[in-house]
Amino acid sequence: MNYIPHTELEKKEMLKTIGVESVDDLFKHIPAELRPKSFNIPEGKSEFEVMEHLKILSRKNATNLTDFVGGGFYDHYIPAAVDALAGRAEFYTAYTPYQPECSQGWLQAIYEYQTVICELTGLDVSNASLYDGGTALYEAAMMAVRLSGRKKIIVDSGVSLIYRTMLYAYTSNLSIEFVETPVVHGQACREDIYKHLDDKTAAVIVQNPNFFGAVDDFSDIVERVHKCGALAIASVYPVSLGMLKSPGEMGIDIATGEGQSLGIPLSFGGPYLGFIAVKKEHMRQLPGRIVGATVDKDNKRGFVLTLQAREQHIRRERATSNICSNEALCALRALIYTCLLGKSGFYELARLNYQKAEFAKVTLDKVTGVKVKRSAPTFNEFTVCLPKNADEVVCSLIDKGFACGFPLGRFYKGLDNYLLVAVTEKRTKEEIVQFANSLEAVLCS
Amino acid sequence: MNYIPHTELEKKEMLKTIGVESVDDLFKHIPAELRPKSFNIPEGKSEFEVMEHLKILSRKNATNLTDFVGGGFYDHYIPAAVDALAGRAEFYTAYTPYQPECSQGWLQAIYEYQTVICELTGLDVSNASLYDGGTALYEAAMMAVRLSGRKKIIVDSGVSLIYRTMLYAYTSNLSIEFVETPVVHGQACREDIYKHLDDKTAAVIVQNPNFFGAVDDFSDIVERVHKCGALAIASVYPVSLGMLKSPGEMGIDIATGEGQSLGIPLSFGGPYLGFIAVKKEHMRQLPGRIVGATVDKDNKRGFVLTLQAREQHIRRERATSNICSNEALCALRALIYTCLLGKSGFYELARLNYQKAEFAKVTLDKVTGVKVKRSAPTFNEFTVCLPKNADEVVCSLIDKGFACGFPLGRFYKGLDNYLLVAVTEKRTKEEIVQFANSLEAVLCS
Amino acid sequence: MQLIFEKSRPGRKGFALPEIDVPIAPGLTEKYCRKQAAPLPEVSELDVVRHFSNLSRLNFSVDTNFYPLGSCTMKYNPKFTEKACALEGFSDLHPLLPQLLGGGMLAQGSLEVLYNTERLLSEITGMHAFTTQPLAGAHGELTGVMLIAAYHKNNGERRKHIIIPDSSHGTNPASAAIAGYNVVVIPTDKDGFLDMTAYKKALSRETAAVMLTCPDTLGFFNPKIKEIADLAHGAGALMYYDGANLNAILGKCRPGDIGFDVIHLNLHKTFATPHGGGGPGAGPVGVCEKLADFLPISRVIRRSDGTFALDYHKHKSIGYIAPFYGNFGVILKAYAYILCLGRAGLIEASENAVLSANYCLSRLKDYYAPAYGKRCMHECVLSAASQLEQGVHALDISKYLIDKGFHPPTIYFPLIVKEAMMIEPTETESKETLDAFIDCLIEAALLSKSNPEALHSAPLSMPVKRLDETKAAREPNLRWQQK
Amino acid sequence: MQLIFEKSRPGRKGFALPEIDVPIAPGLTEKYCRKQAAPLPEVSELDVVRHFSNLSRLNFSVDTNFYPLGSCTMKYNPKFTEKACALEGFSDLHPLLPQLLGGGMLAQGSLEVLYNTERLLSEITGMHAFTTQPLAGAHGELTGVMLIAAYHKNNGERRKHIIIPDSSHGTNPASAAIAGYNVVVIPTDKDGFLDMTAYKKALSRETAAVMLTCPDTLGFFNPKIKEIADLAHGAGALMYYDGANLNAILGKCRPGDIGFDVIHLNLHKTFATPHGGGGPGAGPVGVCEKLADFLPISRVIRRSDGTFALDYHKHKSIGYIAPFYGNFGVILKAYAYILCLGRAGLIEASENAVLSANYCLSRLKDYYAPAYGKRCMHECVLSAASQLEQGVHALDISKYLIDKGFHPPTIYFPLIVKEAMMIEPTETESKETLDAFIDCLIEAALLSKSNPEALHSAPLSMPVKRLDETKAAREPNLRWQQK
Ligand SMILES: Cc1ncc(COP(=O)(O)O)c(C=O)c1O
Ligand SMILES: Cc1ncc(COP(=O)(O)O)c(C=O)c1O
């Protein structure tokens, strides 16, 4: 099966027009010694046989675990209309809208997506998408370095370790100094942050809710950050923005985050969606594609890729970022998802997540030996202290059909008995109660 | 969740324009005593909750049985492009193409489908679709009665009992006389058919392959049928037409059949596809919608619903049939399926089915006590004589993961030990060998 | 657009099948084989994808256009029901499985869907029992009339005709005739209701049944419906209810409560399963208790242990009217839709469908003569008779609507209304869509006076202009032919 | 078209969530909450469906139009890979599962897909090992340069620059710069190849790596590639291969065999995963043996018992460059595509891609000046310089093609070719599509002489005419604002 339409007759006609005997002649300038030493790829299979193979592999994955694992990637319900619309061939088989007149569908969709991200984050300008929440945070840090001309970045350790590790990997060859500040009573430690804040600081990075699920209002930190000429960067969980104070309201300069929770499947790690939003004055330092509205010759509204001078295909080594292909289709899914929920629905979604988590806290607190950390308010994720090693508890609960949470000991020293539990609108009351009962059984066996 | 866009404000505005106080006023002419005695429908659920309920129900069905059951409904592989294209909203959310200028997509697709059915059956004219193979056979019988003005129909008992039962149910109030002729050595008994053939016979109905899977050439029967002024009707299995002599080549007047095997899921009984094809001279007696080519004012080719005078919305009680909604989307699936396979692919599909069945015959013959009926040639379905009651054998093989065939005793007296086995291109050599091994194990346990 | 056959290139290959993995046996003797392969198109998968993707874009559809086709209830079809149908457990289940010993236990999910749907439809319509077997509305009508025939036969009676109003849909008389009955047509009185005098005159011991649509095809609910039913029952006739217009009265009136004995519903209308370019649909039939024994076999039953099974032992049954249990895929979507809307949602559907239809009628009645009155139920019938005075037909107005991106209403039905235009907006269309459509119709009405030519030349923006339908009927070209 | 925000109506509801089934706890204190709800659109599900269905129809796409966008390999994306991705086992698997004790055993299917894909890509390209983590080609370049930096650092060397030809794609210099390297640009000689003298001059102990695309962005395979590699290795530099043009040489030449040390591929180009309007893509990176230790963690390993696991204990690794294991959904589609084509299919893909590109070049070279020679690999670069003499730019020709239903080729890249037009037909387009496209380009060439105005005014058949890009940049309007 090779999807090639040329018949033997047509190949002959084309070779004749080209003026060569055979297709091999078109490759004869590749010298013999540069030919492949081997090319042992199995022979092609029919669509049916490949699908059977993939069905067998998909059945090797767990498909009926009740999912309380979050850590930045959440099991939210995806309305069927998201797949139906993002699955239209005119969206998913087009490429970057270089030719505006025959891409107004994509250009308007990106413009609408940029608007949704600005409205959720409370900031002025967004871009067409970045790879994921981690690279988005890295691009924000680089923006701050460029804008401030400074090289020191303070990172609250409430920011996901996954993103911190990516940040350090990307900047290992650049002379950027990172300072990590501790989490105290579940929230960012003001004292420590202010201690390190100075005129060499390019940015302070915080996360809301942080990796422990704790919710915060960073307005105070932002004020101090701006006083010393640095930028405030916040990585945020978009569904929580249905209810929580927005980065814009806190005065944050650059908001980033992972958009997976906006109608994108978990799909074992990707494709996901990185979003970024900034204040108007920092617009020209934004990485990646941006769509703007304009008019055509008849003064009719239309949309185009704009501010392209920042981008790699124009500025090459002086570009703000090297991104070319992005996560456009995932941005479209997020746009469709938020429009389907709409203004009232998105608030209700956040409220439902919050209420389910509060119920889970109360229910888990009743399990002997289990203590829910109450030091800071949370949204839909919280930390639980278990009477024994969280890894083992998680392992035994998997056998009972629960992916019951993320053992915090993996990311934070000294927290081996702590479990991070996420509760979305998909978790029914019954599932939460059964989870607590199974935990009870596992802990006392 | 009710998919209603009207806000309270909009409802008020609309009521004001209509000139009524409330929506109830629009129903007040329904007298109190005609109001519902009860309306105990459970309260609405969200899309998420309904999907969870349906997923639980779908898991109560067997999903991993290796399927050797046929009986007219076959487990063929459906290329992904069929779902992708028939799933385009502009196809499946349109209705019957009454307004040609804004339905040329559907009208041309139906015209192309009609062509495919004519090419497969070797006859001249087809229609836009009927409900299924059974109602198609009934419509063919009524056509023969109308065309011949006669009331007697001879039905070979090789025709599926399902279809024969439907035929008798539909005509129970009409004075139609049915004569069933036996199957001898697997094929239609010429002697018996010719015995009943007379000037009161409207039609002779045969099936190829017949319900036992036996293949036949009915040219001889057709000749005798035409000699006495009757019509020859054949119900055929479309995938077999990739290889078998077509009804047209046999001189058959009306070919009908079930189109499920052309890219339509088994889906527990429907929606399926009834097709019908006739000779040019009988065109005006065809039931259902028909699309024809014509030109517009600029002499540009276009397609329209035509010969509508036969249909119910014009001829009412003198219409050739009462069909209005049909199986258009299933006809589209069949069209896309046959185009994807194409001229060579469709032949290969038939050949692959035939070869797999021949291998299964040889393999099953080796099972102690099992005897494959070889009295007549077959296509991809054949009859096996077991050493004990087929029902019990089927039941034990279900536990081993096989839906191993259809016990013929259910439809034919005296065949309790006989099993009808179908083998499609989806059945791998390994599955066939495992089926034989499991049968061996079951028979000698 | 070129036909897929005109894009064929000899030797071009599309979809690839698995290699033959079994030893090659000798083929069938020539006698049983076709001379040459069927001349199907020889195209690549991309050729097919591009052909049908572009072909689809020539259609108006509910997902892309307002589609107020009267009597078809083109409401929005929720997307999640498609996903439910694609679940492996539902899409790949062989229909013969429950007829294998031990097979029934492997189809419990689908059997429960059928059982629950029958119960829900019975409660929605006030009927005693339902069969989901009929494959469309007209098929349901034929089934209903066969039940009526079986009922009378069982009483030793051989009644000759069925009474049908002149405003009924064409399938009603066709179904009655096909089932062997004569048809007695009753005219519509000046107020748009069944002519009671003619009705009383026609009713006799020879009347097998009275077939009504309620609200009728003029969009009115006949308050005398009970009286009509009592008269019929008095003559020993049965009442048949064409359920195509049920979207008007969900939770407001149930056919079973007002004297109907046998009804059909159209799942692809009232219960939002997609119309699929003409199908598939489904026409489940509901009956009162005295007709239950005649229902087609098999019947889905629930055993004491809560499991479900198929019961074939109904000796009075009229037999098989479908190969199996109905268009399961369509039934599953309707089931999902009913569970999703629930009690309040179903009622709101009718309330808003009737609100929207009356809104259209109220804004249009000064431009197009309403067929009968100032009120309607879920659809309104207008007449372009006054426009005809300027030589403008309902057809011309429809073509003008097409150019403006609206699918026209049903035209020339019911036949008894001159230049009829039947508008059924449904409850899922927004007010701004209704207003845009109404404004466009008003424009057309004004143009009929000021510039009728603009209407005669429409449509201009479509892939084809008006097509020569007489040529299509006189020189039938019903298939492509290899030159 | 109206924006979705402009279709919003206060109070209108779309998607419904489940009712709260738990007792209501007190909310968060006001300090942590936003003042008002985000002003998202208030629309119904049908409003959303109609909006995005009609919006999609404004796009050209591979499924509806010929899309010969050079350097993007817009080949047909097989439909079945979408179905594979939607299998419940793949789409709903949480990425943190394997990091839970006992969780790895519940992700064996996906881990095997990653493991098998890495093996297949290594054999296709002749590299020692692969990581599937990079989320697009440019991300793969950044990862590759980080591996290069780690390699030199491990050797105690701190090299300063990376050599990049002037014809390279913009992401190459951008990636090198972002990873902290200077960029030394080498010009292209008159035959369209890397200027060897300038190259030899630039090469030094400060050279960390040489970044090449092969075949290069002019569509030529440089026969001196081996010599270039040997020279680089002589100076202790590493060879980086931009795999965007791999579709030209599948089975004909492997970067690993001809001296490249680190490469990236673009699954959404060569391996037919959909371009999705700009993404998602995937840019797996392959390395020679000596760079394997530096690959990002985690690594997918196969244990002796045949099960798969994630190995995080690679102390020399450059760390995380992606949150997990890459864009799994995209990787799965490429895996399915490779299994489907297999050895012969991959080779036939390149052979026919090159055949089709040369066919276009041969028929067009008399109308548009080829950038360099009469032959090319999988894409050909033409110059509209001669048309410019009549004031017709490559841009004008592109707009003319749009009116004829063809997506234009890539224009103004590579920057070194005047009025460049880069045509990449790919192997999945039929001859009649190529001929129709070529005829249209020839028409445009003739029109440039006979009636340039016709080209300047194009496109006329699209939803908008040519848009004012300067206004868009000068008065940036990058989001809708509530009035
Ligand atoms: C009033 C009425 N009755 C019956 C029918 C027939 O229903 P179906 O098209 O499902 O066969 C229709 C269909 O349009 C109708 O409008
Ligand atoms: C030659 C070349 N290199 C690199 C890239 C960057 O790849 P991606 O778009 O996947 O980031 C492209 C993309 O168009 C390209 O054409």
Side-chain angles (χ1 to χ4, degrees), chain A residues 108-181:
Chain A
Q108 179 172 329
I110 295 167
Y111 182 81
E112 292 176 353
Y113 160 77
Q114 287 170 180
T115 304
V116 162
I117 295 300
C118 293
E119 287 182 348
L120 289 179
T121 57
L123 283 158
D124 306 329
V125 181
S126 176
N127 75 353
S129 67
L130 294 172
Y131 299 135
D132 81 304
T135 50
L137 196 58
Y138 153 72
E139 294 275 8
M142 289 304 108
M143 257 185 82
V145 165
R146 284 198 299 274
L147 285 165
S148 66
R150 301 176 180 179
K151 296 269 183 182
K152 182 174 141 192
I153 297 180
I154 301 169
V155 190
D156 167 45
S157 56
V159 172
S160 158
L161 179 66
I162 296 174
Y163 290 172
R164 278 183 277 139
T165 321
M166 286 172 73
L167 210 52
Y168 306 148
Y170 284 124
T171 54
S172 59
N173 301 329
L174 315 174
S175 51
I176 310 273
E177 182 210 344
F178 285 95
V179 174
E180 284 207 358
T181 56

Side-chain angles (χ1 to χ4, degrees), chain C residues 176-193:
Chain C
I178 279 160
Y181 282 101
N182 300 329
V183 173
V184 172
V185 181
I186 306 295
T188 299
D189 66 22
K190 57 171 178 41
D191 306 327
F193 292 111

Side-chain angles (χ1 to χ4, degrees), chain C residues 436-476:
Chain C
F437 172 74
I438 292 162
D439 296 342
C440 189
L441 265 174
I442 293 172
E443 248 169 65
L446 302 176
L447 271 173
S448 312
K449 299 195 189 82
S450 63
N451 171 14
E453 201 17 54
L455 299 175
H456 289 134
S457 60
L460 301 169
S461 63
M462 287 291 117
V464 291
K465 295 208 175 71
R466 291 199 203 187
L467 290 154
D468 183 345
E469 308 218 359
T470 1
K471 177 177 183 345
R474 242 195 264 109
E475 306 150 33

Side-chain angles (χ1 to χ4, degrees), chain A residues 95 324-325, chain D residues 71 136-138 141 169 171 213 217 242 244 264 266 268-269:
Chain A
Y95 188 42
C324 175
S325 289
Chain D
S71 192
E141 287 168 26
H169 190 268
T171 51
T213 319
T217 60
D242 175 339
H264 83 259
N266 307 62
H268 48 297
K269 297 178 191 282

Side-chain angles (χ1 to χ4, degrees), chain D residues 397-459:
Chain D
I397 291 165
S398 305
K399 304 306 182 188
Y400 180 78
L401 286 170
I402 289 176
D403 267 336
K404 300 291 179 189
F406 298 107
H407 190 283
T410 295
I411 50 177
Y412 303 116
F413 171 73
L415 297 173
I416 56 168
V417 176
K418 200 154 170 289
E419 297 296 321
M421 297 197 304
M422 180 192 276
I423 300 167
E424 181 179 0
T426 84
E427 70 279 9
T428 55
E429 294 296 335
S430 64
K431 182 173 178 299
E432 57 278 18
T433 300
L434 302 183
D435 284 329
F437 172 72
I438 292 161
D439 294 344
C440 189
L441 266 174
I442 293 172
E443 247 167 66
L446 301 177
L447 273 174
S448 316
K449 297 194 191 86
S450 63
N451 172 16
E453 199 20 51
L455 299 174
H456 290 134
S457 60

